[in-house]
C-alpha cells in the first residue's frame, strides 16, 4: 500500500474551525498561530473584552476570527454556546488559575476556586465537546497542563493536583473517544511570561531561579507554545492521542543548571 500523504499540507488548517477556550496570554498566541495556518478561530473567554481583543488581533493580522463570551465552569452556558457555534474541528483549552499558598494556609474556598476552573472546568469541556465530536466522528481536543503535573514545589500543591488530574482525564478521554476518531492531548509548558506568573516575575531572584532550572536557561514566551498547538491541531499529529507534549525548555529533563565537576 502506498502512502499518498501530501507533506506540503501537513500543517494546513484552512478547512478547520477552532474553538479557543481562554483567549488571553497563551490562548491569544495560539489563536494567531492557528489563524496564520488558515484556521477559522472562535475566541471564547469568560471576559468578553479579552475574547474581543484576541479576535480583533487575529483579524487585524489577516485571519478569520469571531469572539464569544462563555464560562467553562457553567455546563448549561457552555452547552448553549456550543450549540450556537456549531461544529468545530479543534478545541484548545487554556483557561486556568492558581492560588500560591502552602496547603496548611489554603482555605476551602480557595481550593474550590482552583479545582472548579482547572479540573471541573476541564471535565465540563471534555464532556461537552467530546460528545459532539464523537457523534460527528472526528476532532482534536488540546488541553493545557503544566510541568507541575509532574514536578511540585511548596505553594503549588493544589494547582499541581489539578494539572495531574487534567492529564488523567486527557488520557481517559483519548481511550474513550479514540474509536470515534477523536484525538485528545495535553501540552505541558514550563515557566511562561504570562499574567499567571506576574508574582514570580516581579521578584528578580525568583525570576532568575526559575530561568536557570531548565536546560535552555530562560523563561519562554507565550508565542513559543503556539507551534505545539498548531501541531496537535493539524494532520501532522493524526496518530498522536493520549499524550502530553512538554514544552518546558528542558525543565523536567534536567536537575537545574549546576554542572558538577567530572
Amino acid at each position: 500500500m502506498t502512502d499518498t500523504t501530501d507533506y506540503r499540507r501537513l500543517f494546513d488548517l484552512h478547512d478547520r474551525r477552532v474553538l479557543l477556550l481562554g483567549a488571553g496570554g497563551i490562548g491569544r498566541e495560539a489563536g494567531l498561530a492557528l489563524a496564520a495556518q488558515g484556521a477559522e478561530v472562535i475566541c471564547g473567554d469568560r471576559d468578553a473584552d479579552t475574547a474581543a481583543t484576541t479576535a480583533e488581533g487575529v483579524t487585524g493580522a489577516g485571519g478569520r476570527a469571531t469572539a464569544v463570551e462563555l464560562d467553562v465552569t457553567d455546563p448549561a452556558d457552555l452547552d448553549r454556546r456550543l450549540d450556537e457555534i456549531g461544529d468545530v474541528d479543534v478545541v484548545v483549552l487554556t483557561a486556568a488559575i492558581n492560588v500560591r499558598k502552602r496547603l496548611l494556609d489554603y482555605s476551602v474556598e480557595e481550593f474550590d476556586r482552583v479545582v472548579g476552573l482547572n479540573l471541573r472546568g476541564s471535565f465540563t469541556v471534555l464532556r461537552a465537546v467530546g460528545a459532539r465530536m464523537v457523534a460527528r466522528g472526528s476532532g482534536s481536543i488540546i488541553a493545557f497542563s503544566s510541568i507541575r503535573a509532574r514536578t511540585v514545589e511548596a505553594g503549588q500543591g493544589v494547582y499541581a493536583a489539578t494539572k495531574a488530574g487534567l492529564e488523567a482525564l486527557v488520557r481517559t478521554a483519548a481511550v474513550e473517544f479514540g474509536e470515534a476518531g477523536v484525538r485528545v492531548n495535553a501540552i505541558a509548558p514550563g515557566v511562561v511570561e504570562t499574567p499567571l506568573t506576574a508574582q514570580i516575575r516581579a521578584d528578580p531572584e525568583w525570576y532568575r531561579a526559575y530561568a536557570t532550572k531548565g536546560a535552555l536557561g530562560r523563561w519562554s514566551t507565550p508565542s513559543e507554545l503556539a507551534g505545539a498547538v498548531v501541531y496537535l491541531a493539524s494532520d501532522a499529529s493524526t496518530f498522536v492521542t493520549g499524550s502530553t507534549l512538554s514544552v518546558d525548555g528542558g525543565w523536567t529533563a534536567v536537575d537545574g543548571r549546576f554542572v558538577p565537576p567530572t
Side-chain angles (χ1 to χ4, degrees), residues 8-25:
R8 294 168 298 180
R9 295 178 57 85
L10 273 181
F11 298 97
D12 185 356
L13 299 176
H14 280 84
D15 61 345
R16 310 291 162 87
R17 296 186 80 220
V18 180
L19 174 59
L20 192 60
L21 299 173

Side-chain angles (χ1 to χ4, degrees), residues 1 14 34 62 87 119 145 150 160-161 166 171 188 246 248 255:
M1 180 178 177
H14 280 84
L34 291 161
D87 288 344
L119 191 56
S145 181
R150 291 174 296 286
L166 167 63
R171 290 191 296 271
S246 294
D248 63 1
D255 186 18

Side-chain angles (χ1 to χ4, degrees), residues 1-123:
M1 180 178 177
T2 302
D3 191 335
T4 58
T5 299
D6 184 352
Y7 293 115
R8 294 168 298 180
R9 295 178 57 85
L10 273 181
F11 298 97
D12 185 356
L13 299 176
H14 280 84
D15 61 345
R16 310 291 162 87
R17 296 186 80 220
V18 180
L19 174 59
L20 192 60
L21 299 173
I26 293 171
R28 178 182 184 278
E29 298 303 320
L32 288 166
L34 291 161
Q37 301 304 317
E40 175 190 350
V41 181
I42 301 110
C43 303
D45 202 282
R46 182 161 53 184
D47 183 86
D49 290 339
T50 298
T53 298
T54 296
E56 289 166 6
V58 171
T59 56
R64 297 177 291 155
T66 54
V68 59
E69 181 181 356
L70 55 77
D71 184 355
V72 300
T73 66
D74 183 340
D77 181 59
L78 182 60
D79 275 328
R80 182 171 60 254
R81 294 300 187 187
L82 289 175
D83 287 341
E84 293 171 356
I85 291 166
D87 288 344
V88 292
D89 304 290
V90 181
V91 170
V92 182
L93 174 61
T94 71
I97 57 171
N98 189 11
V99 175
R100 286 179 164 273
K101 285 187 177 180
R102 291 174 179 263
L103 295 177
L104 298 183
D105 297 325
Y106 239 86
S107 69
V108 173
E109 292 75 20
E110 289 166 334
F111 177 90
D112 287 343
R113 183 153 59 93
V114 175
V115 172
L117 176 57
N118 297 5
L119 191 56
R120 185 176 182 275
S122 298
F123 166 74

